[in-house]
């Protein structure tokens, strides 16, 4: 009989992911481990990322304070047309084919802040955030804005290793049209403890791949995230990604798969609830609105021509995003 961890998960169903140390001076080994992870599963851990554990604990504490508010207070912060603010349970449908309802989670979006007089405020994924008042949650905005900036620096550090793994210049993704002016979205998530049952279409978060370039995920110590390395397998084999204290779980998005001509993988993943409350913090990073996502020169050849047509980042994200959210008027 397989061993189980404290969440009752069989050890044979746990995925062994590579762990990348961002403080390591052995860049060759770091790039090699990351490249293998990107070819294998598109998921890996990142440690020694310079965000302190004390600050991470504070971000999680502030997230919990938000979700502990009465529903009527959270609905006053409802997600707006710029996709900022609160999203109720069942708002997202990440796997419409297999879900009987939406995802059994609630969330809160925080994007790149752009005030009304800023020309960029008119772009679809820039604008003013929806903030709870300081009287309700003192210090909340300041904590989240600081985390937003620190998470972006971690993402840039990871992107430099990815660039080297793709035989690009180390600062390839630092260019202005890429991560010089990114679309970066912080998403606080709370799973209320409903027990998932894939056989009846009940999921904490339905199976999906992320849209963009890179996702950083911070989690509490409750297991729930699963990955499926081969989405075409029948039956699909799902493996848990256990939480690792002090680490981010990093995964690649569909945009990087397009960019790399399918060499690097965007892997199917989902969240199953086991009856316990669970909190996580996802940070989604995409390049600038006008960035043209097209096959990298290092990822194509005569025998391996580009598989995907070029597309502007903004257009691509709008197409993907509208398929996973219910209309806002449902909550007004």
């Amino acid at each position: 009989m397989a061993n189980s961890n404290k969440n009752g998960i069989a050890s044979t169903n746990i995925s062994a992911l590579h762990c990348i140390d961002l403080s390591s001076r052995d860049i060759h080994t770091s790039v090699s481990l990351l490249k293998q992870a990107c070819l294998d599963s598109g998921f890996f851990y990142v440690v020694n990322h310079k965000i302190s554990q004390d600050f991470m604990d504070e971000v999680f504490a502030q997230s919990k304070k938000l979700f502990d508010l009465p529903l009527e207070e959270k609905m006053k912060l409802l997600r707006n047309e710029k996709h900022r603010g609160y999203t109720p349970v069942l708002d997202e449908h990440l796997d419409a084919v297999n879900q009987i309802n939406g995802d059994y989670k609630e969330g809160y979006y925080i994007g790149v802040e752009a005030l009304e007089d800023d020309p960029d405020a008119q772009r679809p994924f820039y604008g003013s955030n929806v903030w709870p008042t300081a009287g309700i949650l003192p210090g909340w905005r300041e904590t989240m804005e600081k985390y937003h900036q620190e998470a972006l620096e971690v993402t840039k550090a990871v992107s430099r290793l990815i660039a080297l793994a793709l035989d690009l210049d180390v600062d390839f993704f630092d260019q202005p049209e890429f991560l010089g002016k990114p679309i970066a979205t912080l998403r606080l998530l709370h799973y209320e403890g409903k027990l998932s049952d894939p056989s009846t279409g009940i999921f904490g978060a339905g199976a999906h791949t992320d849209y963009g370039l890179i996702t950083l995920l911070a989690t509490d110590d409750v297991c729930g995230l699963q990955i499926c390395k081969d989405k075409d397998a029948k039956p699909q084999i799902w493996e848990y990604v256990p939480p690792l204290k002090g680490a981010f779980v990093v995964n690649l998005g569909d945009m990087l798969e397009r960019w790399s001509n399918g060499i690097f993988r965007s892997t199917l993943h989902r969240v199953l609830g086991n009856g316990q409350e669970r909190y996580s913090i996802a940070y989604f990073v995409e390049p600038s609105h006008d960035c043209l996502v097209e096959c990298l020169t290092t990822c194509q050849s005569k025998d391996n021509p580009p598989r995907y047509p070029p597309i502007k980042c903004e257009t691509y994200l709008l197409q993907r995003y509208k398929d996973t959210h219910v209309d806002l008027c449902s909550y007004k």
Side-chain angles (χ1 to χ4, degrees), residues 23-291:
S23 69
S24 174
R25 296 183 179 181
D26 187 353
I27 299 300
H28 176 77
T29 296
S30 296
V31 171
S32 178
L33 286 173
L34 181 143
K35 185 172 184 177
Q36 188 57 50
C38 293
L39 294 170
D40 176 42
S41 66
F43 273 77
F44 51 92
Y45 296 112
V46 160
V47 296
N48 293 326
H49 42 68
K50 297 184 179 180
I51 300 182
S52 73
Q53 188 59 51
D54 285 345
F55 183 55
M56 288 302 309
D57 291 342
E58 174 62 18
V59 176
F60 272 97
Q62 292 285 8
S63 175
K64 186 177 187 303
K65 287 180 181 179
L66 175 94
F67 291 121
D68 281 346
L69 292 174
L71 181 59
E72 62 182 30
E73 290 297 323
K74 290 184 286 191
M75 292 301 284
K76 294 176 183 177
L77 304 169
L78 189 65
R79 176 174 59 93
N80 62 20
E81 71 279 358
K82 289 297 184 76
H83 311 298
R84 313 295 178 88
Y86 177 67
T87 58
V89 175
L90 305 183
D91 176 71
E92 285 190 320
H93 297 69
L94 292 176
D95 184 9
V97 173
N98 295 305
Q99 288 177 269
I100 59 171
N101 297 309
D103 292 351
Y104 281 93
K105 69 179 190 300
E106 56 182 342
Y108 202 91
Y109 282 99
I110 303 167
V112 175
E113 185 81 24
L115 301 179
E116 290 185 5
D117 59 353
D118 186 334
D120 283 333
Q122 306 307 313
R123 307 303 296 263
F125 296 98
Y126 282 170
S128 298
N129 284 300
V130 177
W131 298 109
T133 65
I136 296 177
L137 294 175
W140 197 89
R141 173 175 178 171
E142 291 77 10
T143 297
M144 296 306 163
E145 288 185 323
K146 180 181 177 182
Y147 182 75
H148 204 290
Q149 291 301 314
E150 293 197 12
L152 181 59
E153 292 307 309
V154 177
T155 303
K156 288 181 177 180
V158 173
S159 77
R160 294 177 189 119
L161 295 178
I162 290 175
L164 293 173
L166 289 169
D167 297 321
L168 302 167
D169 291 338
V170 65
D171 60 352
F172 176 84
F173 291 110
D174 288 329
Q175 297 177 71
E177 63 269 31
F178 299 147
L179 296 184
K181 201 169 187 179
I183 299 170
T185 304
L186 175 61
R187 183 86 191 279
L188 310 176
L189 295 165
H190 174 224
Y191 299 84
E192 295 182 332
K194 185 176 181 63
L195 188 65
S196 295
D197 183 358
S199 67
T200 59
I202 304 295
F203 298 92
H208 65 287
T209 55
D210 290 348
Y211 313 155
L213 188 66
I214 306 172
T215 302
L216 299 184
L217 180 70
T219 71
D220 60 15
D221 61 358
V222 178
C223 235
L225 175 64
Q226 290 186 321
I227 63 174
C228 175
K229 294 180 180 178
D230 184 359
K231 63 183 178 182
D232 297 320
K234 296 185 184 300
Q236 291 178 335
I237 298 173
W238 290 92
E239 300 175 339
Y240 279 96
V241 175
L244 181 62
K245 188 71 172 179
F248 283 112
V249 178
V250 182
N251 68 278
L252 311 182
D254 298 336
M255 191 175 292
L256 188 55
E257 182 169 312
R258 292 178 67 104
W259 234 330
S260 67
N261 209 24
I263 294 174
F264 282 1
R265 301 179 56 190
S266 174
T267 297
L268 202 64
H269 55 285
R270 68 186 186 186
V271 174
L272 297 188
N274 62 5
Q276 296 176 277
E277 273 193 298
R278 180 176 180 269
Y279 293 87
S280 65
I281 301 171
Y283 189 71
F284 305 98
V285 180
E286 285 80 56
S288 69
H289 286 78
D290 295 321
C291 174

Side-chain angles (χ1 to χ4, degrees), residues 311-330:
I311 188 170
K312 193 167 76 169
C313 176
E314 178 183 301
T315 303
Y316 174 76
L317 292 176
L318 287 172
Q319 288 176 355
R320 292 295 307 273
Y321 196 89
K322 69 179 182 179
D323 295 331
T324 59
H325 292 77
V326 297
D327 194 275
L328 284 173
C329 66
S330 302

